[in-house]
Amino acid sequence: MEMAAPVSPAPRTVEDIFKDFSARRSALVRALTVDVEEFYVFCDPEKENLCLYGHSNGSWEVALPAEEVPPELPEPALGINFARDGMSRRDWLSLVAVHSDSWLLSVAFFFGARLNGNDRKRLFSLINDHPTVLEALSDRKHGRDKSGVDNGSKSRHSAKKGNDVTTKNSRPPVVDDGYDDDEEHSETLCGTCGGRYNSNEFWIGCDICERWFHGKCVRITPAKAEHIKHYKCPDCSSSKKSRQ
């Protein structure tokens, strides 16, 4: 569990609201996948009503609900900890994921209430281009089925010449987790949206920070990737420019 983010000015443009949404979504996906063991422990049924928050700085937090009435922002589902031991683990996590998706949309459209109809439509389109928290969680559960039978082969989006394939074009390593409830497994998540690896999508790896990204998230197509010798993600490119 991480500390709450400091209060920041409310995002006003479509792009700002979507950036806020993406950061909160990535945090929630991480809580329910990579950090699931830690999240599970924090949701003690013996504690009071708890909520799962995703913050705009990319951190997540299990905490009591806001005391303000009405709250500064829409509140996530209350009392998620009470159902933890009364359901199967995967069903409980799926329930939390569904409520998290509903909360993310409510926060996004709370910020977007003053947008015009076209901008609200554009905002929803941007949001809808990324997997929901539930879909990201489902990808983790069923990763072995979705990755295909030839886990050792490269992605169907990779370069044609197998001997010339570089890391930027080969698919990220997939861990055959089988979603064992008793073990914590490593994940390959998109560095932009937080979605889990899916063999039906094109991915590209940064040669600097070694994170992986959906091609669509960083606006790189398979054809464009063929002409990139060393790929630098947007964060690494920005860091280099700031040092110059």
Side-chain angles (χ1 to χ4, degrees), residues 16-26 104-105 108 127:
D16 287 343
I17 295 171
F18 178 66
K19 183 178 179 180
D20 179 271
F21 170 89
S22 297
R24 295 177 190 272
R25 178 194 168 281
S26 295
L104 286 171
L105 287 174
I127 291 173

Side-chain angles (χ1 to χ4, degrees), residues 30-99:
R30 190 170 67 254
L32 298 178
T33 55
V34 177
D35 298 340
V36 66
E37 299 300 333
E38 184 180 5
F39 169 69
Y40 189 86
V41 171
F42 280 124
C43 292
D44 185 348
E46 298 300 320
K47 295 182 180 179
E48 298 183 44
N49 292 291
L50 295 176
C51 302
L52 172 61
Y53 294 88
H55 296 301
S56 57
N57 68 348
S59 66
W60 61 270
E61 180 183 23
V62 174
L64 294 171
E67 295 182 357
E68 297 89 352
V69 179
E72 181 183 355
L73 289 176
E75 284 287 292
L78 179 66
I80 58 172
N81 52 313
F82 294 149
R84 192 196 73 176
D85 293 345
M87 306 172 64
S88 71
R89 177 161 165 163
R90 66 181 60 192
D91 288 345
W92 175 69
L93 290 174
S94 294
L95 179 64
V96 175
V98 169
H99 280 294

Side-chain angles (χ1 to χ4, degrees), residues 7 33 43 48 57 76 78 117 123 128 138 149 154 158 162 187 204 213 218 220 223 231:
V7 177
T33 55
C43 292
E48 298 183 44
N57 68 348
L78 179 66
L123 174 60
N128 204 40
S138 297
V149 294
K154 58 185 179 296
S158 302
E187 296 291 323
I204 187 166
F213 302 84
V218 290
I220 300 292
Y231 175 67

Side-chain angles (χ1 to χ4, degrees), residues 162-213:
N163 293 334
D164 298 332
V165 177
T166 61
T167 56
K168 71 175 185 297
N169 284 327
S170 57
R171 89 182 200 185
V174 178
V175 176
D176 183 9
D177 56 33
Y179 196 65
D180 186 345
D181 290 345
D182 297 325
E183 298 179 5
E184 182 175 3
H185 305 286
S186 60
E187 296 291 323
T188 299
L189 303 177
C190 175
T192 297
C193 74
R196 191 181 187 278
Y197 173 74
N198 187 320
S199 62
N200 292 324
E201 298 173 312
F202 171 70
W203 286 62
I204 187 166
C206 176
D207 290 314
I208 304 300
C209 66
E210 298 185 350
R211 290 184 298 165
W212 289 90
F213 302 84

